[in-house]
Amino acid sequence: MSRRSGILEFAVLGLLRESPMHGYELRKRLNTSLGVFRAFSYGTLYPCLKALVASGWLIEETGGPPEGAPAAALTGRRAKIVYRLTTAGKEHFEELLAHSGPDAWEDEHFGVRFAFFGQTSRDVRMRVLEGRRTRLEERLEKMRTSLARSRERLDDYTLELQLHGMESVEREVRWLNELIESERAGRDQRAPEPAEQDTKDQSGDTGGLPRHRGGTRPDPSDDTTT
């Protein structure tokens, strides 16, 4: 399975965990909520859905047309299919959520993983955030070294582009530092009573997500960090 198809599978399962959806609704959510899928087609989504059905992680049900779907999307049988997560699909998604290896730190994967942090355990969130920070710090060091070697040979516009890239990475590192400190602060708080923990598990543990204090937050899927 390619990296692209793997992260698409993760995103589809995560969205369907929230509620069953038509293919049109899924594509709309992928386009609007997850930046990495902005340029996304039905030709990519439907083979993924069929593969997930074949794996037993989704089932197809007949339903009404999705609200707000254009007329072109309402013609034919496909517009009437609702995709629902199976028990096996939920278990598979839980396994994917628990993964915190290097793939979860990469540009394309991190943005999608971050979008589902509300469904992810704090320990996994911490590993992903710290891994992402380490990856960007390594990238930043390489960028600085490269710029120091070639600065005198660059014209003004190329130099500005290089500096802009470095500033983008530095901004995301600062943002990650805030998130990591907030997660640590949340972990250090009093452990909840069992009943309280059950309530948090049902509503999604959002940890110590810092409040926005002005300026623009970096988009985790923003390709300016590459």
Side-chain angles (χ1 to χ4, degrees):
M1 179 181 294
S2 68
R3 284 188 175 186
R4 180 74 174 185
S5 61
I7 198 60
L8 175 58
E9 171 190 299
F10 176 84
V12 167
L13 293 174
L15 291 174
L16 290 176
R17 189 190 190 196
E18 298 173 4
S19 66
M21 297 184 199
H22 295 266
Y24 170 81
E25 293 170 312
L26 263 174
R27 181 173 180 265
K28 185 176 179 181
R29 288 289 305 278
L30 288 166
N31 282 337
T32 58
S33 301
L34 304 178
V36 70
F37 300 112
R38 284 171 187 143
F40 197 61
S41 68
Y42 284 107
T44 304
L45 175 60
Y46 280 106
C48 174
L49 290 171
K50 294 300 182 183
L52 293 175
V53 170
S55 297
W57 296 328
L58 301 182
I59 57 173
E60 297 177 332
E61 299 176 339
T62 301
E67 183 178 354
L74 301 182
T75 59
R77 182 172 177 271
R78 282 185 176 179
K80 299 179 181 179
I81 294 176
V82 175
Y83 295 91
R84 183 185 299 275
L85 208 60
T86 64
T87 299
K90 293 177 182 178
E91 293 173 351
H92 180 59
F93 182 66
E94 293 291 341
E95 293 174 357
L96 296 176
L97 276 179
H99 173 68
S100 58
D103 280 355
W105 314 337
E106 300 298 339
D107 295 344
E108 190 173 82
H109 283 216
F110 177 73
V112 179
R113 285 300 304 266
F114 189 82
F116 293 99
F117 262 21
Q119 303 179 42
T120 306
S121 70
R122 178 176 283 120
D123 288 344
V124 173
R125 290 199 304 262
M126 283 290 291
R127 289 196 295 270
V128 173
L129 290 172
E130 290 174 340
R132 174 66 175 173
R133 181 176 63 180
T134 298
R135 183 59 48 85
L136 290 182
E137 288 173 340
E138 292 170 351
R139 182 183 302 172
L140 188 59
E141 183 61 28
K142 291 179 180 178
M143 295 172 74
R144 287 170 175 162
T145 300
S146 176
L147 184 60
R149 291 174 178 172
S150 60
R151 187 178 190 120
E152 294 182 356
R153 300 192 302 271
L154 301 176
D155 62 51
D156 290 344
Y157 294 101
T158 304
L159 177 59
E160 282 298 322
L161 184 62
Q162 294 291 323
L163 292 173
H164 172 69
M166 287 177 54
E167 290 170 358
S168 297
V169 177
E170 289 170 344
R171 185 169 63 250
E172 185 172 347
V173 169
R174 290 194 298 269
W175 176 66
L176 289 167
N177 285 335
E178 289 187 0
L179 290 171
I180 290 169
E181 289 305 312
S182 295
E183 291 286 349
R184 286 175 178 164
R187 186 166 58 185
D188 291 341
Q189 291 174 358
R190 175 185 61 84
E193 297 297 329
E196 181 183 350
Q197 182 64 54
D198 290 343
T199 302
K200 288 191 175 184
D201 290 342
Q202 293 172 6
S203 61
D205 174 16
T206 57
L209 192 64
R211 292 185 179 275
H212 187 24
R213 293 196 294 272
T216 302
R217 278 195 171 185
D219 181 349
S221 62
D222 190 347
D223 59 10
T224 59
T225 62
T226 57

